[in-house]
Structure formats: structure tokens, C-alpha cells
């Protein structure tokens, strides 16, 4: 806690006002520093969970920090740098779909999809028209005519894990900055 003591003379009141303004500026600077540290840490954690997955080159991790009168707001995010076009052969011919690398990284697909936060419409069996018979996985034919068996893609959950791990670190980082 920061205490300011002063007398009632004009000079002492003006000095106290300057001290309060300096304290406020320092507090705003520390809030911005906290936002910067948390977003940097969040991006590092997310990047570690992306690891060497094949989708990492298709996404972009970034942050935005906005100073405000009462402190600041910060967000770190993951977005698609580009979509992936998936193509496969069917009886009717070549089929294709645009795939979001960010969604595949976060939630996975097929039987391996996860939804730890219970977000509606996310997880196993939620792909529109996603029916693959009674087997636990499915077969698909690539463009060269070869059959492949799949049960889906395991999620890396970079953003979910970044939020979970940051929750455990936020107090220590704040203490370090506001000491």
C-alpha cells in the first residue's frame, strides 16, 4: 500500500498532487506491463502445445493490448493464416472441403476430437453429416486411389492449455510486476 502524507499548505498539497499523478502513471505502466507479460506468456504456452504438429505453419498467434483510462485490456489469439484444402475420392468423384487449421489444432477431429469446455457443436460426431457406419473409424480414398483408415486427428488444444496454465501463473507474474 502506498501512503501519502502532507500538510495543508499550498506547496505541500501541490507536491502531494504530483506524487499521486506519478503513482497513477506508474500504476498504468505496471498494468500495461502485466498485460504484455501475460500475452507473451500465453503465446509461448500455446506455441509449445502446437509443437511440431503439421498445422503450426498454417496459423498465426498474436496479441493486442489496448491502454484504457482504468488500466488496459489484452487478448492473445490464434487465427488461420490460410485454410487447408482437403481432397478425397468418392464414387461421385473428387470431393473437397476447406479445413481451419486453428480449429483442427484446438479441437482435433473424428473420434479423437475433444471438448473439455463443453462448447456446443464441438467434438466427436459434430461434423455436419458426419456418419461413417458402425466401425470406430472410417476409410477414405486419396486422389491416387489408395485407401486409408482414420479415426481422426488428436487435438493439441493450444489456446485451452494456454488459458489453463496462465491461470496458474497470473498471481506470480502480477506480484513480480506490482511488488
Amino acid at each position: 500500500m502506498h501512503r501519502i502524507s502532507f500538510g495543508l499548505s499550498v506547496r505541500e498539497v501541490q507536491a502531494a498532487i504530483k506524487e499521486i499523478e506519478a503513482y497513477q502513471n506508474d500504476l498504468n505502466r505496471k498494468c500495461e506491463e502485466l498485460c504484455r507479460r501475460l500475452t507473451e506468456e500465453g503465446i509461448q504456452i500455446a506455441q509449445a502445445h502446437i509443437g511440431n504438429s503439421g498445422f503450426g505453419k498454417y496459423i498465426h498467434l498474436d496479441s493486442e493490448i489496448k491502454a484504457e483510462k482504468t488500466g488496459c485490456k489484452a487478448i492473445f489469439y490464434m487465427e488461420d493464416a490460410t485454410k487447408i484444402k482437403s481432397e478425397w475420392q468418392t464414387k461421385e468423384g473428387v470431393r473437397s472441403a476447406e479445413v481451419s487449421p486453428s480449429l483442427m489444432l484446438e479441437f482435433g477431429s473424428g473420434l479423437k476430437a475433444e471438448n473439455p469446455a463443453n462448447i456446443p457443436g464441438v467434438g466427436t460426431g459434430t461434423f455436419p453429416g458426419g456418419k461413417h457406419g458402425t466401425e470406430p473409424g472410417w476409410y477414405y480414398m486419396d486422389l491416387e486411389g489408395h485407401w486409408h483408415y482414420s479415426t481422426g486427428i488428436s487435438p493439441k488444444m493450444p489456446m485451452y492449455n494456454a488459458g489453463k496454465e496462465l491461470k496458474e501463473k497470473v498471481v506470480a507474474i502480477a506480484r513480480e510486476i506490482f511488488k
Side-chain angles (χ1 to χ4, degrees):
M1 179 181 257
H2 189 83
R3 293 180 190 247
I4 298 174
S5 299
F6 58 94
L8 297 177
S9 73
V10 172
R11 185 180 54 77
E12 289 175 305
V13 170
Q14 287 174 342
I17 289 171
K18 285 183 182 178
E19 191 175 342
I20 290 169
E21 288 172 345
Y23 179 75
Q24 180 182 10
N25 289 338
D26 189 50
L27 185 59
N28 287 343
R29 182 192 59 75
K30 287 179 179 179
C31 286
E32 288 180 27
E33 174 68 11
L34 177 64
C35 287
R36 185 188 64 75
R37 287 277 306 279
L38 291 174
T39 57
E40 286 176 358
E41 184 75 20
I43 288 172
Q44 286 178 4
I45 295 167
Q47 190 64 56
H49 283 278
I50 292 168
N52 59 1
S53 72
F55 292 106
K57 61 187 172 191
Y58 299 105
I59 59 103
H60 174 72
L61 293 167
D62 207 350
S63 65
E64 292 177 15
I65 299 172
K66 181 180 173 186
E68 297 198 341
K69 191 174 186 175
T70 58
C72 66
K73 286 185 183 178
I75 183 171
F76 67 94
Y77 57 91
M78 176 173 66
E79 64 184 349
D80 295 334
T82 184
K83 299 283 188 198
I84 298 172
K85 185 175 181 182
S86 178
E87 295 182 314
W88 64 96
Q89 187 72 25
T90 69
K91 288 186 251 180
E92 294 82 29
V94 174
R95 301 285 308 258
S96 68
E98 264 193 358
V99 178
S100 165
S102 295
L103 292 176
M104 287 295 228
L105 272 169
E106 194 65 38
F107 301 108
S109 71
L111 301 175
K112 296 181 178 182
E114 288 186 32
N115 187 0
N118 295 319
I119 299 167
V122 173
T124 305
T126 57
F127 187 76
K131 295 180 182 172
H132 301 289
T134 58
E135 291 187 43
W138 61 92
Y139 289 91
Y140 66 94
M141 183 186 292
D142 65 22
L143 297 179
E144 286 79 40
H146 299 103
W147 285 98
H148 302 272
Y149 178 76
S150 179
T151 56
I153 296 170
S154 296
K156 301 290 185 193
M157 298 187 289
M159 299 306 283
Y160 173 79
N161 287 310
K164 195 171 147 187
E165 290 179 37
L166 265 183
K167 186 177 175 182
E168 297 170 8
K169 295 179 176 188
V170 69
V171 172
I173 293 171
R175 281 189 178 139
E176 182 183 321
I177 291 169
F178 289 98
K179 58 186 170 206

